[in-house]
Amino acid sequence: MPLLAAYRASIPAETYAWGESVHGLLLHDLKRTDEALAIFTRMTADTGLSDERRALESLHAAELLEDASPDKAVALLAPAAVMNTSYQPAVNAQLARLRLAQSQPDELRRHLAALLQSQPEDADALLTHLVTKAGDWKSPPGRNLQAELAVIVRALAAEVQGVRRVLND
């Protein structure tokens, strides 16, 4: 986008990143998925950007990758899943769905246990969002991803105190 590039040096990096993100979304709407994915993936890895921006871009990139390359989507989401951002619940919900759809419940359980141990004050909000979002998931034939998630959350209840509130609600 030439107009955006012309002002790169004179605007804050986060403002420029916002413009790039909008450009990526437009490319996606125009079915130019590879170009959009390149933008989102690059921004996800850019440590010069805020964790907020990187987490949001990981969501955008993972959405484009989840059907064709779920392993790549998981790889992009995993670093953002531990970033303490406003997008953390959404990132973890998408990561959980992908892990379960790929029959990786043990990896998901280990990730959530470590996350909840490191951020116990956020356990209630994080798992409430996760369980709520799971209600919208479409399970593969012969599977019930919501039930699989419930098993993991119940197992975590014995390990992390904040999880008990989610189970009781």
Side-chain angles (χ1 to χ4, degrees):
M1 192 174 235
L3 178 63
L4 186 61
Y7 292 96
R8 182 175 195 146
S10 62
I11 59 176
E14 289 292 319
T15 303
Y16 185 82
W18 171 80
E20 280 192 302
S21 183
V22 171
H23 184 213
L25 292 170
L26 290 169
L27 290 169
H28 173 58
D29 286 349
L30 294 170
K31 308 292 188 233
R32 293 168 56 183
T33 305
D34 289 343
E35 292 171 79
L37 183 58
I39 290 170
F40 299 142
T41 302
R42 182 179 42 74
M43 291 173 65
T44 297
D46 186 345
T47 57
L49 296 175
S50 68
D51 286 352
E52 281 291 312
R53 172 60 54 196
R54 293 171 58 215
L56 175 60
E57 302 313 327
S58 74
L59 284 167
H60 293 321
E63 180 183 338
L64 299 180
L65 286 168
E66 65 185 13
D67 291 331
S69 301
D71 288 335
K72 289 180 183 177
V74 166
L76 283 171
L77 290 168
V82 298
M83 294 176 185
N84 196 354
T85 69
S86 63
Y87 297 104
Q88 189 177 36
V91 169
N92 277 283
Q94 192 168 3
L95 179 64
R97 184 177 52 77
L98 288 169
R99 286 277 193 206
L100 290 174
Q102 291 182 283
S103 299
Q104 299 174 348
D106 293 337
E107 290 86 345
L108 176 60
R109 188 188 163 290
R110 279 192 297 273
H111 163 74
L112 290 175
L115 180 63
L116 297 174
Q117 292 292 344
S118 69
Q119 298 177 19
E121 68 281 358
D122 298 326
D124 188 38
L126 182 67
L127 289 176
T128 298
H129 181 84
L130 184 58
V131 169
T132 301
K133 287 300 282 184
D136 297 333
W137 293 351
K138 294 192 180 1
S139 295
R143 307 253 321 270
N144 185 334
L145 298 182
Q146 295 87 347
E148 293 174 29
L149 178 64
V151 168
I152 292 170
V153 172
R154 284 188 184 92
L156 290 170
E159 298 173 33
V160 182
Q161 188 171 359
V163 178
R164 296 179 207 281
R165 290 189 302 265
V166 174
L167 290 175
N168 291 332
D169 289 346

